Amino acid sequence: QVRLAESGGGLVQAGGSLRLSCTASGFFISGYSMGWFRQAPGKEREGVSCINWSGSTNYADSVRGRFTISRDNVKNTLYLQMTSLKPEDTAMYYCASDLTCSRWSVRGTWGQGTQVTVSS
């Protein structure tokens, strides 16, 4: 069964850091573009970062320079290192598989999400 499981969310003060993980089962992430999305209360889901099969990355303007996406194909896990966190980063964070990074278009599977809350 194809599945994505996020972890690593939590409550952090502004300026702090968190690292999110997304572990895949039922398929190998090495053959796919993978991405992170987030959805804040009352807002639409938005693309945060994407990494394609060759390692090229893409970031939303709001997180560029603060967030870093990476993948460990041996562990079959996607990561999002988040630094200099701001209250406006508060959201549910989701990982997804099989993206078109340039359009934030998802063809594959979504995880269940992990909550990130940044206090001011």
Side-chain angles (χ1 to χ4, degrees):
Q1 183 179 3
V2 173
R3 184 170 177 262
L4 295 172
E6 300 97 333
S7 61
L11 174 64
V12 64
Q13 288 188 330
S17 300
L18 283 174
R19 188 177 80 155
L20 306 183
S21 300
C22 171
T23 300
S25 56
F27 74 105
F28 295 108
I29 69 170
S30 57
Y32 297 94
S33 296
M34 301 289 294
W36 289 96
F37 293 75
R38 66 187 181 186
Q39 187 168 19
K43 296 187 176 181
E44 292 187 354
R45 188 175 297 187
E46 63 175 355
V48 174
S49 184
C50 185
I51 183 168
N52 73 8
W53 62 271
S54 68
S56 295
T57 58
N58 187 28
Y59 295 93
D61 290 343
S62 59
V63 306
R64 187 174 291 113
R66 300 187 298 121
F67 291 10
T68 302
I69 191 171
S70 63
R71 61 197 300 164
D72 185 329
N73 291 335
V74 173
K75 294 183 178 180
N76 217 27
T77 299
L78 177 73
Y79 300 100
L80 185 68
Q81 178 68 49
M82 305 185 295
T83 63
S84 302
L85 282 161
K86 304 175 182 180
E88 51 264 43
D89 295 318
T90 295
M92 185 71 78
Y93 283 71
Y94 300 89
C95 65
S97 67
D98 196 10
L99 280 74
T100 299
C101 288
S102 60
R103 297 198 299 267
W104 302 107
S105 173
V106 177
R107 294 180 293 272
T109 300
W110 291 90
Q112 83 289 348
T114 186
Q115 178 68 40
V116 172
T117 303
V118 184
S119 63
S120 57

